[in-house]
Amino acid sequence: MTTRTDNDHAETGAERISDAEHAVMEALWKRSPQTAAEVCESVCKERGWSIPTVKTLLSRLVQKGALATQPDGRRYLYTPLIARSAYVGTESKRLVERLFGGRAAPLFAHLAQAEALSEDDIAEIERLLREMKK
Amino acid sequence: MTTRTDNDHAETGAERISDAEHAVMEALWKRSPQTAAEVCESVCKERGWSIPTVKTLLSRLVQKGALATQPDGRRYLYTPLIARSAYVGTESKRLVERLFGGRAAPLFAHLAQAEALSEDDIAEIERLLREMKK
DNA sequence: GCATTCAGATTACAGGCGTAATCGTACTGC
DNA sequence: GCAGTACGATTACGCCTGTAATCTGAATGC
């Protein structure tokens, strides 16, 4: 197993990152590199997983090109190959495409109706709108 | 098979509507009631499906409580039991929870960065913001 | 009446996913 | 040196999903 350096691999292909895999990615985005045991310390309690589960997910993510491995003695240190922001952006756009015909305003309208927007959210969105108009 | 009347059933439980199932729902949200053959006319060409596929998906959606059946001779007319807006709202919130810690503004920021916001989007969001401040 | 068609019900199968257990090997501690 | 531990690799298995084929019975057309 060699260390991979292709940063966009998982996000340009058809490989999806599953929900469970995503939880592992979040732990590694938060702090990396980490060993499998360390990742398990991060997520196993709140997810109710054991170490074999984490190791499987790590291995799948490596296969999908989402993680790089770096030998450290007999174990690996795992590092994300995709930026969280790239993943988040792709998932956001995917939702907008799937449910809103590619337009973001209806998504916003839905969130507004659902009262999912706090006053802070509104202030921040207004600020972003002002910046976009420059 | 009886006609169901529980409108929130699929969205309050753990049943997810899969991507393929969602395509069927969209056809029925667009126009319902429809027979299986009619649904297939709507989606089979663009999805590359055949009638057995559509019939399976319809049956699964009925099992999940997302569709109601209405006998029409020997065939069924299918009708959504969940509103599109409810489904869309749930999926939107799910994404926000999963990727943005429940806050909508960062989602908006991501879409803005990705240039996924048109001028029309911006104008409409501004209008909605004004309404929300009333 | 019989053959054909139609429609829902049932079955099929491969791959993905979730959550592991198990295997094989190397390392560590006594 | 040996037993225990740790680690990645491999295997396991049930459920879900995608995309059907097939079965069964009723309706239709000739």
Side-chain angles (χ1 to χ4, degrees):
Chain A
M1 180 67 75
T2 58
T3 304
R4 297 183 182 227
T5 57
D6 186 344
N7 274 297
D8 293 307
H9 185 66
E11 292 305 315
T12 53
E15 315 252 54
R16 291 290 313 278
I17 289 173
S18 68
D19 283 352
E21 287 160 359
H22 170 242
V24 169
M25 291 302 295
E26 286 286 354
L28 287 165
W29 279 322
K30 193 169 181 179
R31 180 168 72 86
S32 71
Q34 277 191 68
T35 64
E38 284 166 344
V39 172
C40 189
E41 275 175 39
S42 299
V43 302
C44 283
K45 194 164 182 185
E46 75 186 68
R47 301 284 306 207
W49 291 342
S50 55
I51 187 68
T53 300
V54 170
K55 287 199 270 189
T56 302
L57 296 172
L58 286 167
S59 179
R60 283 180 186 166
L61 284 164
V62 170
Q63 284 295 312
K64 289 179 177 180
L67 291 181
T69 54
Q70 187 181 4
D72 176 46
R74 65 175 165 167
R75 63 194 182 174
Y76 288 144
L77 294 173
Y78 295 92
T79 302
L81 284 175
I82 43 178
R84 183 173 193 277
S85 62
Y87 174 74
V88 165
T90 300
E91 292 292 300
S92 304
K93 274 198 257 179
R94 187 188 299 268
L95 183 86
V96 169
E97 282 292 337
R98 185 165 73 93
L99 296 183
F100 300 102
R103 297 190 52 244
L107 167 61
F108 178 85
H110 271 277
L111 292 174
Q113 280 169 31
E115 298 181 350
L117 293 176
S118 66
E119 292 204 0
D120 285 349
D121 285 333
I122 293 167
E124 192 168 341
I125 291 166
E126 283 178 327
R127 180 179 61 79
L128 287 164
L129 283 176
R130 283 195 297 270
E131 285 181 20
M132 288 177 74
K133 289 198 158 190
K134 292 178 181 176
Chain B
M1 180 66 76
T2 58
T3 303
R4 295 181 185 232
T5 57
D6 186 343
N7 276 297
D8 293 307
H9 185 66
E11 292 304 318
T12 54
E15 315 252 53
R16 292 292 312 280
I17 288 173
S18 69
D19 282 353
E21 288 160 357
H22 170 242
V24 169
M25 292 302 294
E26 286 287 355
L28 288 165
W29 279 321
K30 194 169 182 180
R31 179 168 72 88
S32 70
Q34 278 192 64
T35 63
E38 286 167 341
V39 173
C40 190
E41 275 176 37
S42 299
V43 301
C44 285
K45 195 165 181 182
E46 75 186 68
R47 300 285 305 209
W49 290 341
S50 54
I51 187 68
T53 300
V54 170
K55 287 198 271 189
T56 301
L57 296 172
L58 287 166
S59 179
R60 284 180 186 168
L61 284 163
V62 170
Q63 284 294 313
K64 288 179 177 180
L67 292 181
T69 55
Q70 187 180 3
D72 175 45
R74 63 175 167 169
R75 63 193 180 175
Y76 288 144
L77 295 173
Y78 296 92
T79 302
L81 283 177
I82 44 176
R84 185 176 192 276
S85 61
Y87 175 72
V88 165
T90 299
E91 291 292 299
S92 304
K93 273 198 259 178
R94 188 189 298 268
L95 182 85
V96 169
E97 283 291 336
R98 183 165 75 94
L99 297 182
F100 300 101
R103 297 190 53 242
L107 167 61
F108 178 84
H110 270 277
L111 292 173
Q113 279 169 32
E115 298 179 350
L117 293 175
S118 65
E119 293 203 358
D120 285 349
D121 284 334
I122 294 167
E124 191 167 341
I125 291 167
E126 282 177 330
R127 180 178 62 79
L128 287 164
L129 283 176
R130 284 194 296 270
E131 286 182 21
M132 287 177 73
K133 289 197 160 190
K134 291 178 182 176

